[in-house]
Amino acid sequence: MTVSECINWLVEYGMKTGLVNGEDKIYTTNRIMEALRLDAIEEGAGDIPIERERLDDVLGIILENAIKTGIIEDGITERDLFDTKIMGLLTPMPSTVIAKFNELKAKDTKAATDYFYKLSGDCNYIRTNRVKKDMKWKTASIYGDIDITINLSKPEKDPRAIAAAKLMKQSGYPACQLCFENEGYAGRTNHPARQNLRIIPITMNNEDWGFQYSPYVYYNEHCIILNRKHTPMKIDRATFVKLLDFVEQFPHYILGSNADLPIVGGSILTHDHFQGGNYEFAMARAEIEKELHFKDFDDVEAGIVKWPMSVIRLTCADKSRLIELADMILKNWRVYTDEKAFVFAETDGEKHNTITPIARMKEGRFQLDLVLRNNITTKEHPLGVYHPHSELHHIKKENIGLIEVMGCAILPARLKKELAEIKEILISGKEIEEDSPLYQHAPWVKEIREKYDIFNEENTSKIIRDEVGKVFVKVLEDAGVYKYNEEGRKAFMRFIESVK
C-alpha cells in the first residue's frame, strides 16, 4: 500500500468504527496529511480489508514512511509516540465521547460501557493486537480455577530511549501516568503518548473521579477509576463508600483497590485509583468456609473465604451497614498485633497492617471482600514476610497487587522464552548449566522431573503450565497473613474475635 492509500484506509476505518463522523472526512484526512508532512494525496484505500485486525499493518506502513522521510527515528518508543499521535487524530473529542456515554448511561449502563470499551479499542488506546499476544491459561487448585497470564502486551524498553530519557530534563507534567492531564498528551521519551485516551467524569462519594480503560486489559473490560486530584492512595472508610457507589452505578462491574502500603500495594501509590471490570475472578467464585457473626450486625452476612489469602466477605442489601462494619474491621486491623501469629501492627514507627478491598453486586445485594495485608520484612525475608518467598522468585518476584489477590497471575514476559527452553530441556533430558540464565529454574525443573515419568511434544507444554500455576498458588499462600491450615485459621479467628 502507498502512504496515500494508508491515509484513506485510516479515515475509512474511522468512519466504519464510528470514530470519525462522515462530515469530518476531509478535515481528518488533512490532519493526518499534516502529521506526515504531505501536501497532497491520491484517492483510493488499497485492497486491505477495513477491519480492526489490520490496523497495525496499515500503521506499520505509515511508521516506515515516517522513519524513511526523517519525521521520526527508528525505535520502539518513537514508533509508539507517533502511531498514537496518528490515532489521536481519529479519536473523537472528549466532550463528544462524554456526551455519548452519558446519553447511553441514562438508559442502559451496560450499553454505555460497551460503547466506551469498543471506542477504546477502535482508537488503539487498548492495543488489542498486542494484548492478544499475552499467554493465558487456567490452573485447577483447591481454591478453584486460577487465571495465569504471561504479560507480553506492555511495550519493551528501547535501550536508546532509556539512554535519552536519562538526559532529558525532568518534567512534572503530567505528575504521573494516572493524572487527568494525560488525556490528549503528546508524550515524550520517558512518558507515553495519550492523544487517544478518553476519560469519563464520574462521581463517587460526592467527589470527582475519572473512568478509563487500561491499555493492557489483563481481563475483560479492565478499567481504571482515578481521582481527579493527584493524591496518594489511602484505604479508609471513604474507600468503601466510593467502591460501593461505583458498583451501584455500574452493577455489572467489580471494583477494588490496591493496598496503600509498599510491598503489598500496587506499582503506583502516589495517585489514588481503583481497578475494576466486567469479569468474575476466582476469588469471587470461592465459597465461604466459615460463617462469621459480628455483634450488632446480624443483618450482614459474613464469612471467611476459602482462599490462600486472608479474606473476610461481607454481604448486605444496605450498603451503609457494609460500610460501617468494613470500617470497624479496618480500624481494628490497623492496630492489631498477634506476636504468636507474627502479626505486628507497627515496628520501629512503621505501620504494617492494611486491607485490599473489592466490591461487587451479588444477586441484588452489595458485597465487599476485605483481604488482610501486612508488609513486615525480616532478614530472612527482606522483600516481605507476606510476599512471594525467594524459592518462588524464578516465576514471580514482584508485588502481589489487587489483580493477583483476586486470582489472576500477571507473570513477567521473560517466562515465554524461558518456559519454551525448559520444555526442550525436559524432553531432551539435558541438565541446566550453572552459567545458564535458566539456572534459577533448576530446582523447580528437578521437582517436575521427579513428578512425571514421560515428557514429549504432546504433554510437556501442559505439564509446565500446570506447574507454573501451582507455583502461583504458592505465591498467594505466601502472601496470605493467615495460612490455610488449622494453626492459621485459629489465628484468623483470634483477630475476628477482637473486632469490636
Side-chain angles (χ1 to χ4, degrees):
M1 287 178 73
T2 66
V3 175
S4 290
E5 288 173 335
C6 288
I7 293 172
N8 292 326
W9 188 99
L10 282 175
V11 176
E12 292 292 335
Y13 168 83
M15 292 191 296
K16 181 179 179 180
T17 55
L19 295 173
V20 176
N21 189 297
E23 296 173 345
D24 298 326
K25 179 178 179 179
I26 294 173
Y27 174 82
T28 304
T29 302
N30 286 331
R31 294 295 309 283
I32 299 174
M33 286 171 55
E34 178 186 358
L36 294 172
R37 301 177 187 172
L38 297 174
D39 296 323
I41 62 169
E42 299 173 356
E43 295 183 358
D47 55 5
I48 293 181
I50 298 175
E51 53 192 31
R52 178 70 182 84
E53 290 72 20
R54 305 307 296 270
L55 178 60
D56 281 2
D57 297 335
V58 175
L59 288 173
I61 296 171
I62 287 177
L63 288 169
E64 290 301 325
N65 177 265
I67 292 165
K68 183 179 178 181
T69 56
I71 297 174
I72 63 171
E73 294 182 7
D74 189 4
I76 296 168
T77 301
E78 289 82 359
R79 285 170 174 263
D80 278 4
L81 289 170
F82 193 72
D83 71 8
T84 302
K85 176 179 181 177
I86 296 298
M87 291 307 298
L89 299 175
L90 296 178
T91 308
M93 291 291 287
S95 58
T96 302
V97 177
I98 292 167
K100 180 66 173 178
F101 182 91
N102 287 335
E103 177 189 344
L104 292 169
K105 185 173 180 284
K107 301 174 183 176
D108 182 352
T109 301
K110 188 176 184 303
T113 56
D114 286 349
Y115 155 75
F116 189 39
Y117 189 61
K118 179 180 180 299
L119 179 140
S120 298
D122 289 341
C123 72
N124 215 33
Y125 179 71
I126 299 173
R127 292 182 178 259
T128 308
N129 289 336
R130 286 184 183 173
V131 173
K132 287 179 180 177
K133 295 177 183 177
D134 288 351
M135 298 172 63
K136 297 183 179 183
W137 67 92
K138 291 183 183 290
T139 293
S141 77
I142 61 172
Y143 310 105
D145 289 343
I146 306 295
D147 292 308
I148 309 295
T149 300
I150 295 179
N151 172 38
L152 304 171
S153 55
K154 282 192 176 182
E156 300 173 40
K157 296 290 185 181
D158 187 325
R160 287 172 297 180
I162 293 171
K166 289 181 180 178
L167 300 175
M168 286 185 66
K169 182 180 179 181
Q170 293 301 306
S171 171
Y173 183 92
C176 77
Q177 291 189 28
L178 293 180
C179 286
F180 269 60
E181 287 78 12
N182 283 280
E183 188 176 40
Y185 186 61
R188 53 184 189 268
T189 304
N190 59 356
H191 194 102
R194 290 290 185 253
Q195 291 100 323
N196 55 353
L197 166 65
R198 296 296 177 262
I199 301 173
I200 304 294
I202 63 172
T203 301
M204 302 190 303
N205 193 28
N206 298 313
E207 296 176 0
D208 293 332
W209 289 70
F211 178 139
Q212 69 171 72
Y213 286 104
S214 165
Y216 309 117
V217 286
Y218 293 132
Y219 51 87
N220 188 48
E221 297 179 47
H222 177 186
C223 66
I224 302 173
I225 309 302
L226 38 101
N227 197 321
R228 178 173 281 277
K229 298 177 182 176
H230 181 71
T231 186
M233 297 282 293
K234 184 180 182 182
I235 303 296
D236 57 11
R237 181 189 182 93
T239 302
F240 306 131
V241 177
K242 295 163 194 169
L243 292 174
L244 294 172
D245 272 2
F246 179 86
V247 297
E248 186 172 30
Q249 293 180 61
F250 301 93
H252 58 300
Y253 272 28
I254 63 159
L255 194 68
S257 175
N258 271 304
D260 55 355
L261 295 178
I263 297 176
V264 295
S267 57
I268 300 178
L269 295 176
T270 56
H271 194 121
D272 200 11
H273 69 285
F274 305 115
Q275 295 184 77
N278 188 7
Y279 190 70
E280 184 178 58
F281 287 88
M283 192 174 79
R285 296 190 297 269
E287 61 190 29
I288 296 292
E289 69 168 72
K290 182 178 179 60
E291 290 186 5
L292 301 174
H293 300 280
F294 292 94
K295 185 181 178 182
D296 298 327
F297 288 92
D298 292 338
D299 55 332
V300 179
E301 288 183 16
I304 293 175
V305 180
K306 183 182 178 181
W307 193 245
M309 299 186 71
S310 309
V311 186
I312 301 169
R313 177 168 294 161
L314 309 176
T315 308
C316 186
D318 184 349
K319 69 177 182 180
S320 66
R321 295 287 287 161
L322 275 193
I323 293 164
E324 189 175 347
L325 178 53
D327 185 45
M328 186 172 77
I329 292 170
L330 172 64
K331 286 177 177 175
N332 277 263
W333 179 244
R334 288 284 194 192
V335 298
Y336 182 76
T337 290
D338 181 350
E339 294 186 16
K340 185 178 178 182
F342 205 79
V343 173
F344 295 88
E346 184 179 321
T347 57
D348 299 325
E350 180 184 356
K351 297 184 184 301
H352 297 303
N353 290 350
T354 185
I355 278 177
T356 299
I358 301 101
R360 65 182 73 87
M361 297 299 296
K362 192 73 171 179
E363 298 175 351
R365 296 190 297 169
F366 296 94
Q367 190 170 88
L368 274 176
D369 282 351
L370 307 178
V371 187
L372 307 182
R373 311 298 300 275
N374 180 288
N375 75 344
I376 195 169
T377 61
T378 63
K379 289 183 178 179
E380 183 184 1
H381 300 294
L383 297 181
V385 173
Y386 305 109
H387 177 87
H389 291 175
S390 58
E391 67 272 15
L392 306 179
H393 288 179
H394 65 106
I395 297 293
K396 178 68 179 179
K397 184 179 182 179
E398 299 78 12
N399 292 355
I400 302 305
L402 169 68
I403 296 171
E404 289 166 318
V405 165
M406 295 188 289
C408 178
I410 302 170
L411 304 180
R414 63 176 171 83
L415 287 177
K416 179 183 180 181
K417 181 174 183 289
E418 292 174 4
L419 295 181
E421 293 175 354
I422 287 171
K423 176 183 176 180
E424 296 305 315
I425 287 170
L426 288 171
I427 292 174
S428 68
K430 294 179 181 178
E431 296 298 324
I432 301 176
E433 302 289 340
E434 286 191 26
D435 60 350
S436 167
L438 293 179
Y439 194 69
Q440 62 175 329
H441 296 290
W444 180 58
V445 171
K446 183 175 182 290
E447 289 178 13
I448 294 174
R449 280 186 167 142
E450 291 171 353
K451 290 172 67 174
Y452 300 89
D453 297 324
I454 300 173
F455 297 96
N456 55 44
E457 285 291 341
E458 286 70 39
N459 72 348
T460 307
S461 292
K462 184 179 186 306
I463 287 172
I464 291 173
R465 289 188 171 205
D466 287 345
E467 292 302 318
V468 168
K470 290 173 184 176
V471 170
F472 181 67
V473 171
K474 290 179 182 177
V475 163
L476 292 181
E477 289 173 338
D478 280 354
V481 175
Y482 297 117
K483 306 309 175 186
Y484 186 65
N485 55 34
E486 184 178 354
E487 182 181 351
R489 275 0 195 190
K490 284 182 180 178
F492 202 159
M493 285 307 299
R494 288 200 295 274
F495 167 66
I496 296 297
E497 290 162 2
S498 76
V499 175
K500 55 186 176 180

